[in-house]
Amino acid sequence: MTNTTYPEISIQTADFSLADEVALLERNNAIDGAVVTFTGRVRNKNEGKEVTSLTLEHYPGMTEKSLVTIIKQAKERWRIGRVKVIHRVGELFIGDQIVFVGVTSKHRQDAFAANEFIMDYLKVQAPFWKKEACQSGVNWLDAKSSDKNKAAKW
Amino acid sequence: MTNTTYPEISIQTADFSLADEVALLERNNAIDGAVVTFTGRVRNKNEGKEVTSLTLEHYPGMTEKSLVTIIKQAKERWRIGRVKVIHRVGELFIGDQIVFVGVTSKHRQDAFAANEFIMDYLKVQAPFWKKEACQSGVNWLDAKSSDKNKAAKW
Amino acid sequence: MIKVVFFAALREQLNCSQLSLNSENLVTVADLKKQLASKDEKWQKVFANNTLLSAVNHDMVSSEQTIKSGDEVAFFPPVTGG
Amino acid sequence: MIKVVFFAALREQLNCSQLSLNSENLVTVADLKKQLASKDEKWQKVFANNTLLSAVNHDMVSSEQTIKSGDEVAFFPPVTGG
């Protein structure tokens, strides 16, 4: 699943294994004592409505460029070791994994901060769009101003 | 491995599986879209010295009480779903998992904050002690003032 | 020539994912938006939305960004991934 | 009677993990520390360390904490888990 040009990121339709990804982050990496992971999944409700599925669209090429830039910024700001970002596209159902961010570091504070920073920036800068299907029909999700405010705080 | 009196915590000598723990946090839990995990592992170096192993001692009874209190505080401060804290005791070697904290929430910010809070408080309040073996001998680790300061910031 | 691409709700509203334009008379992204908006009422309405984002060659830009022949310009709604 | 337990470096320095004491004349944790420190030079030295932590019945407490018969009092160095 790994993008050979950008080994730290992967945009894929297939599911991923948290255990496999963490094993890769930890392999031959005894200098890093901390591993922080974030996994985002399809929730059964969004703003009060019952969701049946999500369809993720993205902008190939720009997606990779934006994620690589976000990871580069995180590495400039914190002392982190390895990073992996996976984002799925296509149709996803309740409970399905959407996104994974894994960060290792010598000391835990860096991995926590860098992981949350990557997610916050991904949310406002990476060109992905969610279309939600619920009983009342299908609609594109609106961006949340809270996400914009959260990214601006870093 | 789960403590039946306190299902959210486990003090154990055995290793744990990140995948199994996350699966338990996610099972029948489609209301929470965010899962944040922290895993702490034995590093090969500590303050410049080559480490060969760590031995973890704890205060049975008080350990459980302190972890339950920390989790309770986290639940009062953030809107989180499920929590699991595992801490190993006994002798551990390079790369071995020491501690796991997993938190789910509807929105990612709560899971990130609660997870880091639990780790920061565990570091200064839960009665665990590390004895480090390196080529020059065996010694008990000193507490870090940075950990004390980090916990005080919450 | 300039390649213009559209994504998500925008692509559906315009019923168009991609087009090519002669780059003469286009200095900035704002010029391009103006020209696209002049196509018809539907395009005018879509480009009146001031939350629209723009990217040139895969970098997010403001409307003042200059463009030249060979560029790929994208228009899309605020992103909602993660 | 009061049960007193010791952990980690403290346990090794004292070569003692647990002891029981008559609780007469002991009002606070500070009193207990003073009495333990009076055992001999080694104990005196160990209890002179002001980074020592105390717990009564599994709760971290200050030296002013009152104690009573039946309590479990613990002394240990700053914790280093995680």
Side-chain angles (χ1 to χ4, degrees), chain D residues 1-74:
Chain D
M1 295 296 279
I2 287 179
K3 179 180 170 186
V4 189
V5 292
F6 307 98
F7 291 95
L10 197 65
R11 175 178 51 72
E12 289 188 353
Q13 285 156 9
L14 299 172
N15 196 22
C16 175
S17 59
Q18 181 176 331
L19 55 79
S20 286
L21 273 182
N22 197 309
S23 53
E24 275 172 38
N25 305 323
L26 295 177
V27 178
T28 66
V29 169
D31 295 338
L32 174 57
K33 283 167 89 166
K34 211 184 218 170
Q35 181 164 326
L36 291 170
S38 72
K39 280 170 84 90
D40 67 23
E41 212 173 306
K42 181 177 72 180
W43 287 68
Q44 187 176 5
K45 202 178 150 194
V46 163
F47 279 91
N49 181 346
N50 61 15
T51 70
L52 275 195
L53 299 177
S54 320
V56 173
N57 301 330
H58 297 162
D59 285 319
M60 211 93 86
V61 297
S62 72
S63 290
E64 290 77 51
Q65 174 69 38
T66 57
I67 51 179
K68 60 180 193 308
S69 183
D71 282 349
E72 176 172 312
V73 182

Side-chain angles (χ1 to χ4, degrees), chain A residues 85-103:
Chain A
V85 177
I86 302 175
H87 204 299
R88 293 177 72 192
V89 292
E91 190 172 17
L92 301 174
F93 299 90
I94 308 303
D96 280 357
Q97 302 185 116
I98 305 170
V99 58
F100 169 81
V101 178
V103 179

Side-chain angles (χ1 to χ4, degrees), chain B residues 57 59 87 128-131 140, chain D residues 8 11-12 72 77 80 82:
Chain B
E57 177 172 330
Y59 178 3
H87 204 299
F128 292 100
W129 300 273
K130 285 192 189 111
K131 195 179 200 174
W140 291 96
Chain D
R11 175 178 51 72
E12 289 188 353
E72 176 172 312
T80 58

Side-chain angles (χ1 to χ4, degrees), chain A residues 27-147:
Chain A
R27 183 174 301 165
N28 298 325
N29 184 16
I31 61 167
D32 286 334
V35 186
V36 174
T37 72
F38 174 82
T39 311
R41 303 159 68 225
V42 182
R43 298 168 58 205
N44 58 5
K45 282 195 183 177
N46 186 30
E47 295 174 3
K49 285 176 307 192
E50 298 278 344
V51 176
T52 54
S53 77
L54 280 185
T55 303
L56 268 290
E57 177 172 331
H58 78 122
Y59 179 3
M62 180 169 171
T63 320
E64 289 78 358
K65 193 171 183 178
S66 69
L67 293 179
V68 165
T69 302
I70 292 166
I71 292 171
K72 186 168 168 284
Q73 289 173 321
K75 288 186 171 181
E76 285 165 1
R77 291 182 65 157
W78 292 280
R79 299 179 65 171
I80 55 179
R82 298 187 191 168
V83 179
K84 180 78 187 219
V85 177
I86 302 175
H87 204 299
R88 293 177 72 192
V89 292
E91 190 172 17
L92 301 174
F93 299 90
I94 308 303
D96 280 357
Q97 302 185 116
I98 305 170
V99 58
F100 169 81
V101 178
V103 179
T104 72
S105 62
K106 285 193 176 68
H107 303 289
R108 72 190 182 285
Q109 188 166 13
D110 294 304
F112 272 114
N115 197 311
E116 193 168 8
F117 169 89
I118 289 169
M119 272 309 300
D120 285 354
Y121 269 59
L122 183 157
K123 280 265 179 184
V124 296
Q125 298 201 329
F128 293 101
W129 299 273
K130 285 192 188 113
K131 195 179 199 173
E132 186 179 84
C134 44
Q135 275 133 341
S136 59
V138 167
N139 64 292
W140 292 96
L141 293 186
D142 285 327
K144 290 188 211 157
S145 57
S146 60
D147 283 329

